[in-house]
Amino acid sequence: MNRILFPVLVFASLFFLSCKKEKGNDQQSLPAQTYLNVAYGNDPAQKMDVYLPAGRTTATTKVMVMIHGGAWSSGDKTDFNAYVDTIKRRQPDYAIFNLNYRLSTGTTNTFPAQENDVKAALSFIVNKLSEYNISDKIVLLGASAGGHLAMLQAYKYTTPIKVKAVVDFFGPTDMNDLYNNPLLVPPATVALIVGATPTSNPTLYQQSSPINFVSSQSPPTIVFQGGADPLVSATTQTAPLVAKLQLMGVVNQLVFYPTEGHGWVGANLTDSFNKLQAFLAANVN
């Protein structure tokens, strides 16, 4: 009986290993795929572009979610197209999701519509992890209003998933300060976008400010800020955020360009991507 059983067990083991190897090879041979304007909600604005790398697996392929700027009232995911190409080249082990979201008109889609859209988009992505063959190691990257939305999701929520890191390019962190200490954007415009003033709806301003949700459990954060930014103050927006991250013991890095404004190009942009690449390599594993 044992003489019969032993070859059967050996055969079964070899068959299992063969199937496992073939499955692994199938994953390694997955081609790169791009899906444009994938709907994550019912509104026409709730679309994303999806870039899946070749050879992706649920164990190794990290995820970057990109959120464009435009004062929550303008802009488009296509604004990030050039940076998508840069990330694909520099971070070939990342899948990229480039989001659109509902834009505030002053009468419709006021706060917290954009916050809710980011959360809905993340829920969509999390539900697609197995189908897309990607991991649950998610990084949020945003610029300006998109930086605000990335930080708000990363600090305020641990659902639908706790993100691994957040990348902020000159995003507002304190909506009360943005209203009360205006630079180029007048308070009336802030109130129109938000849908209220701090006096008429203080809770909305409090709940919409990423700095209010920083805790010891917040994900590693890298912040890029220009010292001559005419829209987001390095002194009253960025500095208090970094101070709170440090107070809470959160891994963080401030990359400060004293003479840059609200965005930059050339050598400093290359430097930003270099530092971003190193930060992700150190903190998203």
Side-chain angles (χ1 to χ4, degrees):
M1 182 65 179
N2 289 338
R3 286 197 300 269
I4 297 173
L5 184 60
F6 180 74
V8 170
L9 290 175
V10 170
F11 176 79
S13 297
L14 291 173
F15 179 77
F16 172 78
L17 290 172
S18 175
C19 290
K20 187 175 180 181
K21 183 178 179 181
E22 287 178 5
K23 184 177 180 182
N25 288 341
D26 286 344
Q27 280 191 316
Q28 290 301 317
S29 65
L30 284 173
Q33 290 180 294
T34 297
Y35 303 102
L36 301 180
N37 295 311
V38 176
Y40 65 86
N42 296 324
D43 191 280
Q46 293 171 320
K47 298 284 201 308
M48 64 172 72
D49 294 340
V50 179
Y51 304 88
L52 303 176
R56 60 193 177 276
T57 75
T58 55
T60 62
T61 303
K62 305 176 186 74
V63 175
M64 181 174 291
V65 179
M66 303 179 72
I67 312 170
H68 71 81
W72 307 278
S73 58
S74 65
D76 188 83
K77 55 185 169 60
T78 56
D79 298 341
F80 262 154
N81 280 355
Y83 303 121
V84 168
D85 290 339
T86 299
I87 295 296
K88 286 168 68 175
R89 185 177 67 254
R90 284 174 169 262
Q91 308 284 167
D93 56 337
Y94 274 76
I96 301 171
F97 295 79
N98 189 16
L99 306 186
N100 266 352
Y101 48 87
R102 289 172 293 168
L103 301 175
S104 176
T105 67
T107 55
T108 61
N109 299 331
T110 53
F111 279 24
Q114 299 75 34
E115 174 186 340
N116 292 339
D117 282 0
V118 172
K119 192 171 185 181
L122 274 185
S123 293
F124 177 89
I125 294 167
V126 169
N127 287 333
K128 291 281 190 177
L129 294 179
S130 295
E131 179 181 334
Y132 286 154
N133 282 287
I134 55 178
S135 79
D136 61 357
K137 298 172 183 176
I138 297 178
V139 174
L140 301 184
L141 179 152
S144 193
H148 161 269
L149 294 171
M151 289 186 288
L152 192 61
Q153 173 66 39
Y155 302 153
K156 188 174 181 180
Y157 300 107
T158 57
T159 58
I161 198 165
K162 189 178 188 302
V163 303
K164 297 296 184 183
V166 59
V167 180
D168 165 44
F169 281 90
F170 42 84
T173 67
D174 187 334
M175 295 306 297
N176 273 294
D177 178 77
L178 197 67
Y179 181 93
N180 291 319
N181 298 298
L183 295 179
L184 282 185
V185 181
T189 300
V190 175
L192 193 67
I193 292 167
V194 174
T197 67
T199 301
S200 66
N201 196 338
T203 300
L204 181 59
Y205 276 73
Q206 188 275 336
Q207 288 289 307
S208 300
S209 298
I211 195 169
N212 293 332
F213 299 96
V214 174
S215 74
S216 61
Q217 301 305 307
S218 295
T221 301
I222 185 168
V223 178
F224 297 90
Q225 179 66 47
D229 193 323
L231 297 173
V232 176
S233 169
T235 303
T236 65
Q237 292 282 338
T238 304
L241 172 74
V242 172
K244 191 167 185 181
L245 289 168
Q246 291 173 344
L247 178 66
M248 293 296 175
V250 178
V251 173
N252 71 91
Q253 181 179 351
L254 171 63
V255 183
F256 186 70
Y257 303 106
T259 62
E260 294 289 8
H262 202 66
W264 44 87
V265 296
N268 280 343
L269 184 59
T270 299
D271 179 73
S272 295
F273 279 115
N274 289 342
K275 288 184 167 60
L276 167 59
Q277 193 170 3
F279 186 85
L280 296 181
N283 293 288
V284 183
N285 301 301

